[in-house]
Amino acid sequence: MQSYSRAPRPLTLCTASTCMDGVIGRHRAEAAGLGRSRGGLSSKIHAAVDAAGLPLAFVLTPGQAADSPRFRTVLDRIRVPGRVGRPRTRPGAVAADKAYSSKANRAYLRRRRITAVIPEKTDQQANRRKKGSAGGRPVSFDPVRYRRRNTVERCFQKIKTWRGLATRYDKTPQSYEAGLHLRGAIMWLKTLTPTT
């Protein structure tokens, strides 16, 4: 009997991707989890992905929703079961883009003892420098780990190979999110099947 268990990976990556939808009324759009964005009505997928590019958690929001407030929600949905005991909910490190660089997100990661691999925005750097010694120390940043952040973009490319997920044909957010979870489950199952 072969064992298909996998060791949890140390890096979790977060980002958001948008999906476009056709033209519908405002009230129907709100009920369907759609929001106005530059290109019209859209949805945004916020995802946490492990270092191998496999999805760990999804959060679906309207297209105009900002990325940073959803950071905590995405990380709270991570559950990686092990062989015994409670599922693992705390990754070793989180790599995210500048959209997630806020004091609240960094404080949340520090409180949970998670390494933040998030570059600091230039305006935040300028404000910190303007305050002098009262502005605090510069944030720690590991550029070598940050280079691996493209893993989450590659995960979105795999997810969007399903045309229904790339363009959002589903009417309700529940059915669209179910499709996301189904695609994620198939991606995980492909890693568990033996190659021989």
Side-chain angles (χ1 to χ4, degrees), residues 170-193:
D170 295 313
K171 195 171 194 175
T172 64
Q174 292 83 9
S175 63
Y176 184 69
E177 197 165 359
L180 284 172
H181 288 287
L182 179 62
R183 179 63 180 138
I186 289 172
M187 290 167 66
W188 273 94
L189 286 173
K190 283 183 179 179
T191 65
L192 298 177
T193 55

Side-chain angles (χ1 to χ4, degrees), residues 57-114:
F58 294 113
V59 173
L60 186 67
T61 59
Q64 80 275 10
D67 294 344
S68 190
R70 306 301 184 264
F71 181 75
R72 193 172 177 174
T73 309
V74 172
L75 287 182
D76 286 343
R77 288 195 179 182
I78 295 175
R79 300 274 183 273
V80 180
R83 290 180 183 262
V84 185
R86 293 180 295 175
R88 207 174 147 204
T89 60
R90 188 174 62 85
V94 172
D97 57 9
K98 288 184 180 184
Y100 295 97
S101 177
S102 71
K103 278 186 174 183
N105 289 344
R106 290 182 188 279
Y108 173 72
L109 292 174
R110 263 193 311 276
R111 198 168 43 251
R112 292 190 63 193
R113 296 187 313 265
I114 300 171

Side-chain angles (χ1 to χ4, degrees), residues 110-128:
R110 263 193 311 276
R111 198 168 43 251
R112 292 190 63 193
R113 296 187 313 265
I114 300 171
T115 305
V117 186
I118 305 171
E120 191 175 24
K121 291 182 181 178
T122 53
D123 64 329
Q124 291 174 347
Q125 290 175 353
N127 288 335
R128 183 177 38 76

